[in-house]
Structure formats: C-alpha cells, structure tokens
Amino acid sequence: MSVKTPSYTVKHRRSGSAPNTGSSNEFSHLRTQLDEIPITSKVDNAPAPAAGVLTSQSPAFNVPHKTIRKITCLGSGFVGGPTSAVIAFKADVAVTVVDINPGRIAAWNSQALPIYEPGLYDIVVTARDGVQSDVSDPLDFTDPSTCPRISCNSSEPTHPLHASQTGRRPNLFFSTNIEGAIAEADLIFVCVNTPTKSNGIGKGAAADLGYVEAATRTIAKVALESKIVVEKSTVPCRTAQSIREILEANAQPGVEFDVLSNPEFLAEGTAVVDLLYPDRIIIGCMPTPSGYRAAASLTGVYAQWVPQEQIITMNLWSSELSKLAANAMLAQRISSVNALSAICEATGADVEEVSYACGLDSRIGPQMLKAGPGFGGSCFQKDIFNIVYLSESLHLYDVADYWRSIINMNEYQKHRFTKRIISSLFNTLTDKKIAVLGFAFKKDTSDTRESPAITLVSNFIAERAHVAIYDPQVKKEQIWTDLLENDVDPQELKSRVEICQSPYGACADADAVVVVTEWDEFSNKTYTESAKPKPSVSTVAELSPTFEATPKAAAARAKSYLHTPPESPPIRQSMLSQPGTNKCVGKEGVRVGIKGRTGVRKRLDWACVAESMKKPMFVFDGRNVLDSVKLEKLGFRFEAIGKAGTAFRMARDFA
C-alpha cells in the first residue's frame, strides 16, 4: 500500500483536506503533549519554582560539575566554524572542528577560509595559529568613522588583536580525524546540516535528520568515556529524545551521555559580533541531577565572556522550539513589510517612511522592517516549514496555514518584483541584457542558500534575457551550482548567463541594472557619521583597552543600524568622495569604509555605469540602497521596492 506524500509547495492547502502524514506510530512523538517540566533553581534542598516557570538564569546551576577542557565540533559550516572559532578565541578550552569533507578542512587550515564573515578571519588566525593576523582588518579600523574614541593615526596599534592577544598558544584545530576528536572530547557540539527533505514523507517541509543520526551513532560507537552531547543544529522539537535513545542503545559498557540543546541565534553578516555579544545563550537540559550538571558545565564555557544573566536554561523541548519560533517570527516581520511594500507602490506611499514610522513604536521596534525582494538564507524558510510540518502532524491545520502564508508572501514578492521589471522594460526581456548586482542572500556573507537572486535570475532566463552577475564574495562555482539546482537548463545557462569580476563589466551594454544584495559598495546614498553603520564598535570595545564601553552598549551599537529617517544629510567630503567626481577610464570606484581579505572594496560610480549602458537606462533597486534623485539626474529610470517609480503605475500592473 503506497503512502500519499503531501506536497509542500507554496500553494495553499485546499480547505478541509488534511495531508496524510503516514502511520500514527511513526509520528506519535510529534503529537504528544509537551510535558511541563519545571526546572528547579537548585538541585539540592531548593524549592520548586512557581507553576509554569520553565526557565532560570545560569547562576541557578550552582552544582558540582565537570570543567570542560576539550570540545569537539562535528561540522565546519556556517554554524560550526564561526562558533568554534569564537569559543576558542574567548575561552580557556581546546576546540577541534571535524568534518568529513577534507577540502573544507583544508580551507579552514589555509589563509582562504571557506566562508566569508566580517571579523572571522582574524579570530580564526589568532586562535588557530597562536599569532595575530598580518592582514588588514575586515572591519576597517583605519576609518575614523568606525573606530570612535581611538586615534587611528597615532602610534597605538589600530588592529584590535594587537592590543591583547600577543603570545597566545593555538587552541583551535581543524581535522578530518572524527573518531579521534570524539574520543578526546569532554563535550561534543553537533553542528551538522539538517536540510529539508527532498523526497518521501514530509518532502519539502520536514527536516532531514540523517546527518544528525549518523553523527549520533558515531559518537556512541567511538566514545569510551561519558560525554556531554550538545545539539546545536536547528532541529524539530523533541529531536533530543531521539538522540538520547540512539546513544543509550549503542553506548559502550559504562559510558553515559547527557544531551543538551544549545540553539544558535546567529545572523549571517554579523555572526562574529553575535557570538562575542549574544543577546542570550539558551541551554536546554533534562530535569535531572545529571542534566543540571551538564548544563552547568556548558554554562562554564560561555560564562568566560558572556554575562551570566544572559545565559538562560530551560527544558529541552522549549529550547529546541525557541530557535524555530525566533526565526519564524523574524521572517514574519519581513513578509509583513514586503506585503506593505506592494500597497506602497500602488498608492504612492514610501515603504521606508512607513517602516520608519512603525519602528518608532517601542512595541514594534525598527529591526527586520526593511522591504526587499524576499528573505533568503538557510534558516527562515526551512524553519517555517518545520513548524508547518509539526503543526500538521499535530492536526493543527489552521496553525500550519498561518505559518505557510509567510512563505507564500515571500515567493509572491520575488515574482512581483520580476513582473515589475518586465513591465517597465516594455513588457519583454527577450535578448536584453540584465545586470544583477549581488547574489548572496544578504550583504557581508558569501551564503547563497535560498537567495532571492536565484529565483530572479531563473525568471530572467525563462524570459530569454541575457544575465550578467556580479557579487564581491560569492564564488563563480557556487552561482552555477545554485542555478542548475533551480532547474535551469544547462544549455540556456551557458548561453545566457555571464559571471563578471567587476560591477562595471556586468553593467556594460546592459539594458537594466537590478540590485539584489545590499552590498555597501552598490549604494550611492550619503550618510551622516551618526547614521553610518558601525559593525566594528563591539570588537573595538572588546579587544582594545583604550575604548571604554559596556559590553551591552557596544553590542547594541554594533549589531544594528541607527534608526534614522530615510533621508540623511550629506556626509563630510573628507570621509567619502562622491560618485562621478573622477574620470571613468580605469576607474575602480570610490573607497568605502569596509575592508575584506582581498583588499579595499570600492564604491560603485554610477556616472561611469551610465556611460556604458544602453538607453533608456533602468535601475531596479531591490534593497532601497540607492538615491533616486541622484540616479535620475544621471538619466536613469528608477524603480524601487515599495516606492512609486519614474512612471507611476497602478497595482494591477504588478498583481
């Protein structure tokens, strides 16, 4: 008897139809009511907390526990690599990162790390090699606007690591010896991939836990001493129960395991700052003396740089669900403002002004209210689908439909933006050249997973356009792979897509430019010093004794943009030259205050772009990083997400 597999596309489930999720035994744990397990504030002779209180701060674990000296991280991806690097950098522990991919491990041991994240390179080099980096800081401490209260031109070392990290021993290691690293570890982080299932029951929605199970079985087979196993991968609720059962069933005689949940809350592009100054550390444990001791051991690692009041403990299931819930709520905000952007375009309102007004409400706040072509990344869509699948498994179909609508709106935004581009370009893209600036799903990362650019470029190819792509950090091979995996015909891809080494090459002879990723170098806006983002402030405060700031204040300044009105007064000429002031011959752009390992990235000169494009020239700003007045003075026809364009059109044109 075949089992009908539910479809998890972005289409709405028809009213009254419940998906067949297989046998009741197979998913019975998903339908079980979550136990309300109060965690006591102390193990011995302590009163239980009030009814319903499930969390406590880390000082509550004032119990005897093992001090962690060696940590092994299974997985060297976007979570495992940066997390391990910062732990090694900040804590008195030896951290070994292992992976089955020898190429990735070789990259981590080289000068060319496999992922890009501002500030990561210097931290890895310092912890891995035991010496400070000799490469320019990617957070650009030579820019006066990004290192306040530090004399950047003085004899004092400007590189933050020079201030306090000389003479340290290496304590960060990358290896393919998985079994050896597991055997030596006191604590093991499981940071393996949990992709969405591509076939079988739950296809397109449920998490594929194959890598988690394989890692768990390897731990059970290799470990000859008791270990703490920390579930750090994003997983469905109650996965820890499965991990415990596998470990207990396969453990060597006399070996015991404690399982903790410690979800990551990193935002790509600010992961280093998020790790140095986390909003909170969540640790989920079993309500047993052994569980409390394990949680106290992990707390001891984080407490070496994180204030204890920010380390929160709760039961395992709440910890697992908190990560899914946080990402779902963040995605909900993005889809909400994107929905408003459609109304703004149809009415003449400005989505930046609307989101600014809403963000001034202290109950709402300004974060995650930037309209764009849709959210991307490895987490938001996957985690929402996890909640959808969990809800349907629990027969909560209205709940599932609510969360699915966020994905539907995200897909709608991508296709709505495509339709607006086609409509503006006289209703055809056939044989027109479209320059796509940015392929990563957001700035300051090389991650392209679920990037809106993949859908947009695929749509352009389907419309018979020629596409030229430029991104300062994404590798050419990754772009080809992403487009092929999105079912783009290989022959069409080869004949219609060009990946360029510079934005000027991409824009030359183009009919239109589409800004998809909000890289700073693409922007032609001017900022006041106070409004300019300062991603380096917390690192300066953390590592330079000359900068006086509380960790909380430094983190707040570093992790968010100042919430300023959309229009900003001109910046001082001494800080940033204006585009178009130099000759275009051989011009690389204008310096912007952000550096990478490959050198100073240059700000795009839109006057040079205008000289090389076909007429009429179109710019489609998918991130609201461009000044329309300046571009229109150069002769561009300008269209932006959430704003009425050069030629005002009614909503029906983009429906």
Side-chain angles (χ1 to χ4, degrees), residues 262-285:
N262 177 219
E264 52 84 18
F265 296 96
L266 307 181
E268 291 187 52
T270 60
V272 170
V273 174
D274 294 337
L275 288 161
L276 287 172
Y277 292 99
D279 294 327
R280 76 287 201 198
I281 298 292
I282 302 296
I283 300 175
C285 69

Side-chain angles (χ1 to χ4, degrees), residues 555-569:
R557 285 194 298 271
K559 291 173 64 176
S560 64
Y561 289 71
L562 196 63
H563 191 46
T564 55
E567 298 295 331
S568 301

Side-chain angles (χ1 to χ4, degrees), residues 81-383:
T83 299
S84 299
V86 171
I87 290 177
F89 180 72
K90 296 298 296 177
D92 183 19
V93 294
V95 183
T96 301
V97 184
V98 295
D99 202 295
I100 61 174
N101 186 337
R104 181 172 283 265
I105 290 299
W108 279 111
N109 281 317
S110 73
Q111 298 301 306
L113 303 186
I115 64 174
Y116 171 75
E117 194 69 40
L120 178 62
Y121 176 81
D122 292 292
I123 284 180
V124 168
V125 169
T126 302
R128 183 192 68 191
D129 302 340
V131 295
Q132 58 269 49
S133 166
D134 59 356
V135 179
S136 297
D137 178 24
L139 297 179
D140 193 17
F141 293 93
T142 62
D143 182 352
S145 68
T146 60
C147 50
R149 299 182 64 182
I150 291 182
S151 176
C152 295
N153 297 319
S154 69
S155 59
E156 176 188 352
T158 57
H159 195 292
L161 300 179
H162 294 175
S164 59
Q165 297 299 326
T166 57
R168 61 173 289 156
R169 295 180 179 179
N171 65 329
L172 176 64
F173 311 95
F174 297 94
S175 173
T176 56
N177 184 7
I178 298 174
E179 295 188 356
I182 291 174
E184 295 180 357
D186 302 317
L187 182 147
I188 301 167
F189 282 121
V190 178
C191 297
V192 298
N193 193 19
T194 55
T196 301
K197 290 183 68 174
S198 58
N199 50 56
I201 296 175
K203 174 183 177 181
D208 186 346
L209 300 179
Y211 295 116
V212 173
E213 181 173 340
T216 303
R217 291 186 180 278
T218 301
I219 294 170
K221 179 180 110 174
V222 172
L224 301 178
E225 298 177 348
S226 297
K227 310 283 183 183
I228 298 173
V229 178
V230 182
E231 168 194 83
K232 205 161 187 66
S233 299
T234 303
V235 294
C237 192
R238 298 192 80 90
T239 299
Q241 179 64 29
S242 301
I243 293 175
R244 290 179 64 243
E245 291 178 4
I246 293 171
L247 291 172
E248 291 174 358
N250 295 277
Q252 302 293 333
V255 176
E256 296 181 353
F257 296 97
D258 289 295
V259 178
L260 301 177
S261 170
N262 177 219
E264 52 84 18
F265 296 96
L266 307 181
E268 291 187 52
T270 60
V272 170
V273 174
D274 294 337
L275 288 161
L276 287 172
Y277 292 99
D279 294 327
R280 76 287 201 198
I281 298 292
I282 302 296
I283 300 175
C285 69
M286 293 297 292
T288 64
S290 176
Y292 297 141
R293 288 193 295 270
S297 293
L298 181 55
T299 294
V301 174
Y302 285 115
Q304 294 183 56
W305 80 94
V306 179
Q308 287 195 346
E309 62 269 16
Q310 292 173 227
I311 305 175
I312 309 299
T313 58
M314 58 184 63
N315 76 42
L316 276 169
W317 329 129
S318 297
S319 177
E320 290 175 332
L321 188 56
S322 67
K323 172 59 188 296
L324 300 178
N327 279 343
M329 290 183 178
L330 293 173
Q332 176 192 53
R333 288 174 68 94
I334 296 174
S335 282
S336 295
V337 75
N338 281 343
L340 289 170
S341 73
I343 299 175
C344 289
E345 291 171 23
T347 60
D350 186 325
V351 72
E352 285 195 291
E353 294 176 345
V354 172
S355 62
Y356 172 70
C358 292
L360 292 175
D361 190 322
S362 60
R363 298 167 300 174
I364 299 174
Q367 299 299 319
M368 308 299 283
L369 289 180
K370 295 288 289 184
F375 57 74
S378 64
C379 294
F380 282 3
Q381 179 168 298
K382 180 184 71 171
D383 292 353

